[in-house]
Amino acid sequence: MSHDMSEDKLPESHGSAGQHEVASHGDPFADPGLPAHEPRRTDIDERAAKRAERQVSLMFVVSMLATVGFIASYVAIDADKIVYIFPLGHVSALNFALGLTLGVALFCIGAGAVHWARTLMSDHELPAERHPIEADDEVRADVIEQFKTGAAESGFGRRKMIRNTLIGSMALVPLSGVVLLRDLGPLPEKKLQHTGWDLATPEHPLPLVNMNTNKPMKAEDIVVGSLTFAKPEGLEEDDETFQQQIAKDALMLVRIAPENIKDKDSAELGFEGILAYSKICTHVGCPISLYEQQTHHALCPCHQSTFDLADGARVIFGPAGHPLPQLKITTNEEGFLVATGDFAEPVGPSFWERS
Amino acid sequence: MKKLSARRRHPLAALVVLLLALAATGGLYAAFAPAEKAQADTAAQSLAIDEGKKLFAVGCSSCHGLNGEGSSDGPSLVGVGSAAVDFQVATGRMPAQQPGAQVPKKKNIYTQHEIDQLAAFVASLGPGPVAPTEKQYTSTNPDDVAAGGELFRTNCAQCHNFAGQGGALTQGKYAPSLEGVEAKHIYEAMQTGPQNMPSFPDTTMPEEQKRQIVAFVRNLNEEPNPGGLTLGSLGPVTEGLFGWIFGLGVLIAVAIWVAAHTTKARKS
């Protein structure tokens, strides 16, 4: 096999330039080779080439001007200024000017480069032949011979202890990488198993507080078909850990006419048809509360997991693996809704230790 | 007494008697007028209920039953109150054009006067949320917009989107866009929970908070655009679609255009 450029593939071998004829006389399957090179207008007409040069330079100059415009509008335009621009409506003048000038600056560089390449840079076809990647048979045989000699001289096959300890040490080295994963942080321990509701016990029930009014609720406040969000008493928005706490504690309260509740256990956890479900999706933990009061379905907007709140929050569609945890609620002697304990299972998405 | 009888033949006696008689009549009228006025009001109310019943029989009774008791085609209207009627009819949702997953908003065919009569009739069936007065849904405090925004994100944004643009629900249902919806109708929707929307009664969301949410939603409609295309403010779905189809599509088209104009391609 020759590594030289085969002469018959070069364009020069196809007769005079500008002729499309290929060497196919007699043999319809003969390699037609490359077509003859066709000069562009800019190749033969110096004025056209000059014009293309000016066009490219113009685009680069426009880009420069646009960049200057970008800086100028950044300095000159007030950030609060709102202007009316026809198809967009009322927009921020600063953002519009910055976007427009930066867009023009980048587009003109790209367009100029493309125009330059297409009109002025050389467009001669250059065949680059492909060759097998493997080495010659001789070279390969030589390398295999050397490898065998080396293996025999090292005694690798004979001294089994060295071989086995080497394999062992090589196998163990990646473990140091695994150990470094410890730096990702401490394990969550029991944090995922419990929420703020675990402060509640049957002896000391924890009142449910309305997220809107920040006040405890009575059972008659929750009407059939309504949706209310609640948090445990004692959790305030000013608390440093509020966001972490509410991500587990958030409740949605719905009231379903008792005859429409399909799941007996779920009805018992509630109070006269008022059911308190975790607001956190059991798939990846989005807050779900797209509640449809006629079908009693709650939908998660992230991945469309759908729960039937009338049937113990059973998953009826989507990727969620568990029903929503339900909180056992009742009323205290003053008639306010209270929880008597934590959720029976961890809220939110699955994790390794989750039972 | 003598003086009086002596002058009874006086030429002005008749005039004095007439004035006294008029004053007595006026006094009596003033004394009894409030009672009479109340009677007249009840009459107007019962007239509205009567008129509303006639309108109901024509437009609503085929689904909701002649007395609003409900049928297999429509729910009972006992206890839904005038707010629900005002919302459903004034936004054209009722009468529904066809049964289905969702009854869409359409052109309203009733005048406000007729809607009030229908609402009076339905309200007479049982107690329910009363249509709000203008004072209840009109905010005068500029701070209400910020407070309403917080309440909106807690209670409404999950379905109606953070910019009130609406969003998809399950099986063909959707939360409609709040753009251009009248303040009164937003208030009534929160009160009554139309279709699959949960209700937010005054017990869990006081009147003042509803007014704040209305103020925020009205403010959203007037917000100027900070720049660029809003793409419906629907969030990652439209933005992703736009990025993939228009962004990448245009880049691919340009790449094809650049590559298509080579010497080699000219052959064909």
Side-chain angles (χ1 to χ4, degrees):
Chain A
M1 188 175 67
S2 166
H3 288 197
D4 297 323
M5 188 70 74
S6 48
E7 287 294 319
D8 59 348
K9 287 189 181 155
L10 291 174
E12 282 74 18
S13 63
H14 297 297
S16 58
Q19 221 174 337
H20 277 265
E21 216 164 329
V22 292
S24 62
H25 304 294
D27 180 5
F29 300 111
D31 179 2
L34 288 171
H37 176 69
E38 272 186 60
R40 296 164 303 190
R41 192 191 169 99
T42 45
D43 291 336
I44 44 179
D45 183 353
E46 189 52 31
R47 277 171 54 214
K50 284 273 180 213
R51 198 185 313 128
E53 190 184 349
R54 282 196 302 273
Q55 283 163 348
V56 173
S57 312
L58 176 70
M59 277 190 257
F60 291 153
V61 170
V62 170
S63 169
M64 285 187 247
L65 291 177
T67 304
V68 172
F70 179 90
I71 297 163
S73 42
Y74 182 83
V75 174
I77 301 178
D78 186 20
D80 296 330
K81 195 171 178 198
I82 302 291
V83 290
Y84 183 81
I85 294 166
F86 161 61
L88 305 172
H90 290 278
V91 296
S92 152
L94 177 63
N95 285 356
F96 182 79
L98 293 181
L100 188 72
T101 48
L102 187 62
V104 167
L106 292 174
F107 177 83
C108 284
I109 291 176
V114 168
H115 195 53
W116 182 14
R118 284 167 39 78
T119 54
L120 296 174
M121 288 183 188
S122 166
D123 70 337
H124 281 272
E125 294 84 5
L126 296 173
E129 295 202 350
R130 286 186 291 176
H131 305 287
I133 301 166
E134 62 186 25
D136 286 345
D137 288 345
E138 282 169 40
V139 177
R140 285 160 68 198
D142 186 43
V143 169
I144 290 167
E145 193 58 41
Q146 283 182 23
F147 185 79
K148 281 181 180 161
T149 315
E153 283 175 358
S154 70
F156 190 77
R158 192 154 55 86
R159 304 208 183 270
K160 290 229 161 54
M161 192 163 73
I162 292 179
R163 188 196 66 182
N164 292 350
T165 47
L166 175 68
I167 290 172
S169 62
M170 296 293 279
L172 282 177
V173 157
L175 272 184
S176 44
V178 175
V179 169
L180 286 179
L181 294 177
R182 181 71 183 79
D183 286 350
L184 287 176
L187 287 173
E189 292 172 358
K190 296 285 179 199
K191 269 186 233 157
L192 298 175
Q193 316 272 358
H194 296 291
T195 69
W197 297 102
D198 67 354
L199 295 171
T201 57
E203 295 78 42
H204 296 99
L206 191 59
L208 273 60
V209 174
N210 187 334
M211 289 285 282
N212 293 337
T213 59
N214 240 349
K215 290 191 182 114
M217 291 164 285
K218 294 201 165 179
E220 62 262 30
D221 293 348
I222 313 283
V223 300
V224 172
S226 69
L227 175 68
T228 314
F229 302 113
K231 61 182 180 181
E233 190 185 64
L235 180 63
E236 298 299 330
E237 280 196 37
D238 302 335
D239 292 351
E240 200 183 330
T241 58
F242 176 80
Q243 297 295 349
Q244 287 156 34
Q245 289 298 324
I246 199 69
K248 292 192 293 181
D249 298 356
L251 274 194
M252 53 176 170
L253 293 174
V254 296
R255 188 168 200 160
I256 301 175
E259 67 268 20
N260 291 337
I261 301 179
K262 292 178 217 153
D263 188 307
K264 280 231 168 58
D265 299 340
S266 168
E268 273 171 31
L269 287 171
F271 178 79
E272 291 176 2
I274 303 175
L275 307 177
Y277 285 108
S278 163
K279 194 185 173 182
I280 311 302
C281 184
T282 55
H283 177 221
V284 283
C286 294
I288 60 166
S289 37
L290 280 67
Y291 175 60
E292 299 175 357
Q293 57 122 330
Q294 290 179 358
T295 57
H296 311 302
H297 293 171
L299 172 74
C300 177
C302 295
H303 304 109
Q304 283 70 50
S305 291
T306 310
F307 303 86
D308 189 352
L309 301 194
D311 192 9
R314 184 170 59 91
V315 183
I316 52 174
F317 182 79
H322 304 264
L324 295 172
Q326 194 183 348
L327 197 66
K328 180 164 174 52
I329 56 168
T330 180
T331 49
N332 63 13
E333 54 274 12
E334 289 144 40
F336 289 111
L337 288 170
V338 291
T340 53
D342 202 357
F343 294 100
E345 50 193 294
V347 300
S350 301
F351 51 98
W352 279 355
E353 298 86 354
R354 183 180 164 132
S355 50
Chain B
M1 212 52 194
K2 239 184 175 171
K3 260 187 186 171
L4 199 66
S5 55
R7 291 175 192 207
R8 69 183 173 193
R9 304 247 180 236
H10 195 271
L12 290 176
L15 187 67
V16 170
V17 170
L18 188 67
L19 281 172
L20 280 173
L22 278 173
T25 317
L28 277 174
Y29 180 80
F32 289 102
E36 278 167 9
K37 198 182 164 209
Q39 274 167 13
D41 240 8
T42 327
Q45 186 66 15
S46 59
L47 194 68
I49 293 173
D50 273 357
E51 290 294 316
K53 187 167 185 181
K54 282 180 202 154
L55 287 166
F56 189 89
V58 174
C60 323
S61 61
S62 56
C63 294
H64 292 293
L66 272 172
N67 291 307
E69 73 274 14
S71 74
S72 55
D73 294 326
S76 161
L77 298 184
V78 177
V80 301
S82 57
V85 179
D86 193 67
F87 174 82
Q88 299 277 5
V89 181
T91 61
R93 286 179 167 84
M94 288 288 155
Q97 62 187 5
Q98 60 175 31
Q102 180 134 6
V103 180
K105 184 180 174 167
K106 63 179 194 305
K107 200 172 173 293
N108 166 30
I109 54 169
Y110 290 93
T111 63
Q112 189 57 47
H113 184 61
E114 289 170 323
I115 293 168
D116 290 343
Q117 290 175 338
L118 270 173
F121 170 67
V122 173
S124 74
L125 302 175
V130 179
T133 59
E134 197 171 340
K135 225 174 112 192
Q136 279 174 285
Y137 55 78
T138 312
S139 158
T140 46
N141 184 356
D143 296 347
D144 280 357
V145 174
E150 208 160 295
L151 290 163
F152 186 88
R153 284 185 287 278
T154 312
N155 295 282
C156 322
Q158 56 265 36
C159 292
H160 287 288
N161 156 300
F162 49 85
Q165 297 289 320
L169 294 172
T170 65
Q171 292 163 6
K173 296 185 278 289
Y174 57 88
S177 164
L178 302 180
E179 210 171 311
V181 180
E182 278 179 42
K184 186 185 182 188
H185 297 151
I186 298 170
Y187 191 99
E188 286 168 342
M190 287 187 275
Q191 250 185 335
T192 63
Q195 300 186 30
N196 260 305
M197 173 169 165
S199 63
F200 296 89
D202 287 350
T203 48
T204 55
M205 185 189 276
E207 200 181 298
E208 192 197 351
Q209 296 193 334
K210 288 201 188 71
R211 183 164 58 235
Q212 290 170 340
I213 290 182
V214 171
F216 173 72
V217 175
R218 300 305 299 161
N219 182 264
L220 271 184
N221 293 335
E222 294 151 17
E223 276 284 279
N225 176 11
L229 302 169
T230 58
L231 303 175
S233 299
L234 281 178
V237 176
T238 42
E239 283 158 27
L241 193 74
F242 188 88
W244 280 96
I245 293 184
F246 293 96
L248 285 179
V250 167
L251 289 180
I252 290 169
V254 169
I256 290 172
W257 177 78
V258 169
H261 288 71
T262 61
T263 333
K264 219 164 180 180
R266 227 173 277 147
K267 188 169 61 176
S268 52

